[in-house]
Amino acid sequence: MTRVDKVDQRREAGQRTRAGLQAAALELLSQRGQEGVTLREITDLAGANVAAVSYHFGSLKKLCEAAIEHALEQYLNAQIGELEALPSTATLQEVAGAFARPMVRALAAGGPDLAVMRTVARVGIEPPEGWERLHGKFDRTREGVIRVLAPTLPDVDAEELAFRTRCAAGMLNWLALAPVGTELATLPAERIERHLVPVVAGALRGDATVGR
Amino acid sequence: MTRVDKVDQRREAGQRTRAGLQAAALELLSQRGQEGVTLREITDLAGANVAAVSYHFGSLKKLCEAAIEHALEQYLNAQIGELEALPSTATLQEVAGAFARPMVRALAAGGPDLAVMRTVARVGIEPPEGWERLHGKFDRTREGVIRVLAPTLPDVDAEELAFRTRCAAGMLNWLALAPVGTELATLPAERIERHLVPVVAGALRGDATVGR
DNA sequence: CAGTTATTCAAACGATTGCTTTAACTGTAG
DNA sequence: CTACAGTTAAAGCAATCGTTTGAATAACTG
């Protein structure tokens, strides 16, 4: 052990409380939303002192912003990763699978992963004022989805496809927040996916049957 | 004007502030949810005195409960009305249309009607504790939906159908809360319905295509 | 007229609860 | 000894919240 190691240990301890605060904030944000969390709840859950928030983040608001921003990054990266892994010949069900998979995984995993998805979903129902930047990030990912999706649904025009994509995304977000998702979460990931993919794909394809 | 008329006028005025308080509460509940509303916000919006809440409802909590309960009744009645108006030979798209119509109408109408739907949707993402009774009402309506739906989708088993119904309901609720719904709301009701029905029907039918 | 009833109102109450800051305390390094 | 990175308990201090009170109004009742 050199002397530098001990300094590093202290620095790492600092980063650990910092990360703990952020994780605790995320968990509570996912349950109660931005307006429903209090400083003391977060510090209690993180096992840290109230002053640690000022020290590491400056204020409660900045801590929440950091936590939300980080969650959104995680989600978007997962989503983009799934899309880029698709072959260019992907079928509708494969695209729907890639689209739903981050949520499916989070539901099955629970814990911090699910907290990420719940928080992202909450951002999605926040009125746009003050959230323009984050909502913009959603938009850009949706464009990527539509690009991959369009070839599998040549009969659906672009505007319609955009709308259906938002509906499908809304459906997934709903699962993150509503009790039905909690029930789903008791199943293993593959079974969740087997249930979900046909529904997502069906919503994207639409139903054009006339008569029975 | 008899003497009784004047008494009635006073009584009616009382009922008017009562109704105004409930409407104001509903509007704010639809925006911020149960934990986000304050007594003074409600009374300011209603143009009433703070004490009027105690006088007419007993407490803020009871006022909120009354507003939420009333909203839920309105929603369920609309939903049930649509279902009962369906012919027994209804197609999938007709059932999907009936399922979606209360939300479509509310989106197009805006104002108090939309506040009703938003509030109901918020109840739907509330954790079940303390809301068992209201969540139970949802369940009973869903059973009615499934009964009507089942004949149009003979290939989908009951459990799967229940799941898809919840997904479809979640999608509609998402539209009530998210910005995408606000965009939709600029269109007239028929156009909203034309966009929405194929998506709802598609989600219910599911997609079973293999390959492209 | 005196008394009752239904409603509204301004004001104050009492209390919680919140975020942030401060100043003191660790242990390590130069 | 000084500087630093991190942590802490305590206090500051203000905002806000739900509820109650007691008076005021105005119409009816006996």
Side-chain angles (χ1 to χ4, degrees):
Chain A
M1 288 247 187
T2 74
R3 293 120 187 198
V4 181
D5 282 337
K6 300 227 171 160
V7 151
D8 281 355
Q9 271 179 19
R10 253 188 325 169
R11 289 223 163 99
E12 275 166 33
Q15 292 308 307
R16 225 175 304 130
T17 63
R18 194 188 155 89
L21 283 171
Q22 201 165 317
L26 184 67
E27 175 60 29
L28 291 168
L29 283 169
S30 79
Q31 290 173 19
R32 309 196 219 308
Q34 171 102 295
E35 314 299 323
V37 298
T38 71
L39 183 64
R40 272 164 249 268
E41 260 184 325
I42 294 174
T43 53
D44 285 357
L45 182 59
N49 187 279
V50 277
V53 172
S54 286
Y55 181 77
H56 285 288
F57 295 91
S59 72
L60 172 64
K61 195 159 171 30
K62 287 182 188 159
L63 166 56
C64 289
E65 284 169 359
I68 291 173
E69 187 109 16
H70 185 241
L72 196 61
E73 292 298 334
Q74 271 192 259
Y75 165 69
L76 293 177
N77 287 343
Q79 185 85 271
I80 289 168
E82 291 291 340
L83 289 175
E84 289 181 346
L86 283 174
S88 62
T89 61
T91 64
L92 172 62
Q93 292 228 356
E94 285 169 340
V95 177
F99 188 63
R101 202 159 298 125
M103 183 63 76
V104 168
R105 281 204 224 281
L107 285 171
D113 289 351
L114 184 52
V116 165
M117 302 308 282
R118 278 203 233 266
T119 304
V120 170
R122 278 193 188 276
V123 171
I125 56 175
E126 215 70 39
E129 303 93 50
W131 298 86
E132 294 84 3
R133 200 169 50 84
L134 298 189
H135 280 213
K137 293 196 176 185
F138 278 122
D139 292 342
R140 255 177 290 136
T141 315
R142 256 200 310 270
E143 285 167 22
V145 175
I146 292 169
R147 245 195 315 281
V148 182
L149 201 52
T152 72
L153 292 170
D155 297 339
V156 183
D157 76 60
E159 198 193 344
E160 193 64 37
L161 208 53
F163 173 66
R164 293 192 188 169
T165 304
R166 300 184 77 169
C167 287
M171 198 167 72
L172 293 178
N173 284 335
W174 185 263
L175 291 180
L177 296 174
V180 56
T182 313
E183 292 172 28
L184 257 195
T186 62
L187 302 176
E190 322 93 58
R191 293 206 46 203
I192 300 177
E193 193 168 328
R194 245 204 323 278
H195 281 288
L196 210 45
V197 167
V199 189
V200 173
L204 292 171
R205 178 187 292 279
D207 181 271
T209 49
V210 181
R212 221 189 251 243
Chain B
M1 285 251 185
T2 74
R3 292 123 189 194
V4 180
D5 281 338
K6 299 227 172 160
V7 154
D8 280 356
Q9 270 179 20
R10 251 188 326 167
R11 288 226 164 97
E12 274 167 33
Q15 292 309 306
R16 224 177 304 131
T17 63
R18 195 189 155 88
L21 283 171
Q22 200 165 316
L26 183 68
E27 175 61 28
L28 291 169
L29 283 168
S30 81
Q31 290 173 19
R32 309 197 218 307
Q34 172 102 294
E35 316 298 323
V37 299
T38 72
L39 184 64
R40 272 166 248 267
E41 257 183 327
I42 294 174
T43 53
D44 285 357
L45 182 59
N49 188 279
V50 276
V53 171
S54 285
Y55 181 75
H56 285 288
F57 293 92
S59 72
L60 171 65
K61 195 159 172 30
K62 287 182 189 161
L63 165 56
C64 289
E65 284 169 359
I68 292 174
E69 188 109 17
H70 185 242
L72 197 61
E73 292 297 333
Q74 271 192 258
Y75 166 70
L76 293 178
N77 287 341
Q79 186 84 270
I80 289 168
E82 291 291 340
L83 289 175
E84 290 182 344
L86 282 174
S88 62
T89 61
T91 64
L92 172 62
Q93 292 227 357
E94 284 168 341
V95 177
F99 188 63
R101 202 158 299 125
M103 183 64 75
V104 168
R105 281 204 224 280
L107 285 171
D113 289 351
L114 185 51
V116 165
M117 302 307 283
R118 277 203 232 267
T119 304
V120 170
R122 278 195 188 276
V123 171
I125 56 176
E126 216 68 40
E129 303 93 51
W131 299 86
E132 294 83 2
R133 200 168 50 84
L134 299 189
H135 280 213
K137 294 196 175 187
F138 279 121
D139 293 341
R140 256 177 290 136
T141 314
R142 256 200 309 269
E143 286 166 23
V145 175
I146 293 169
R147 245 196 314 280
V148 180
L149 200 54
T152 74
L153 292 170
D155 297 339
V156 184
D157 75 61
E159 199 193 343
E160 193 64 37
L161 206 54
F163 174 67
R164 294 192 187 170
T165 304
R166 300 183 78 168
C167 287
M171 197 167 73
L172 293 178
N173 284 335
W174 184 262
L175 291 182
L177 296 175
V180 56
T182 313
E183 292 172 29
L184 258 195
T186 62
L187 302 176
E190 321 93 59
R191 293 207 45 203
I192 300 177
E193 193 168 327
R194 245 204 324 278
H195 281 289
L196 209 46
V197 167
V199 189
V200 173
L204 292 171
R205 178 188 291 280
D207 182 90
T209 49
V210 182
R212 222 192 252 237

